[in-house]
Amino acid sequence: MSLELGGKNAQIVMDDADLGLALEGVLWGAFGTTGQRCTATSRLILHEKIHGKFLEMLVERVSKLRLGDGLLPSTEVGPCINEGQQETVAGYVRVGLEQGAKLLTGGTIPKGGALDGAGSTLPRSFPK
């Protein structure tokens, strides 16, 4: 279940859920359109019985997301709309860590190859 809660959009996954289907919903909710929409998932509430297993599944899949040019069919996560938005996202990561969050994957601005914009059609504001 996904709830719009005034910009703190939560997805809830219970212990009787189809975890594969729930995972796809969480991935789309959090990373679809690069998370740049008002209903993007920003919180995950997991039943304690599936918490560890689901987090393991999520981290494994998120670590394999294909970043790149949003116009290419092979890309799963395109660029932030501009540098300001990119800094906002990085700021959320910093705030989370300052408040005691545990980083399970990522946390830095991706770089290298097409992510640097060399020879690609990526907008200039994509990670440098």
Side-chain angles (χ1 to χ4, degrees):
M1 172 181 285
S2 179
L3 303 169
E4 194 288 319
L5 301 169
K8 298 295 178 198
N9 312 312
Q11 284 202 33
I12 301 169
V13 183
M14 297 302 293
D15 62 332
D16 61 347
D18 174 328
L19 296 186
L21 185 59
L23 177 63
E24 291 305 312
V26 167
L27 289 169
W28 168 248
F31 299 101
T33 64
T34 314
Q36 299 174 107
R37 65 182 186 285
C38 61
T39 58
T41 299
S42 58
R43 292 188 294 160
L44 207 56
I45 300 170
L46 304 172
H47 191 283
E48 63 186 349
K49 288 183 181 177
I50 55 99
H51 181 272
K53 179 179 175 68
F54 194 83
L55 274 184
E56 188 177 298
M57 292 169 60
L58 181 61
V59 169
E60 179 181 344
R61 182 65 179 91
V62 167
S63 68
K64 295 177 183 175
L65 285 172
R66 292 182 306 273
L67 311 178
D69 184 335
L71 298 175
L72 298 176
S74 60
T75 297
E76 293 177 299
V77 181
C80 285
I81 190 71
N82 57 38
E83 271 186 275
Q85 180 62 23
Q86 182 182 10
E87 183 51 39
T88 296
V89 172
Y92 289 144
V93 172
R94 283 191 298 273
V95 167
L97 292 171
E98 289 167 4
Q99 293 181 0
K102 182 179 176 185
L103 189 61
L104 299 179
T105 188
T108 60
I109 296 171
K111 298 180 183 197
L115 298 178
D116 289 335
S120 76
T121 60
L122 294 174
R124 298 173 75 95
S125 63
F126 200 72
K128 294 177 180 152

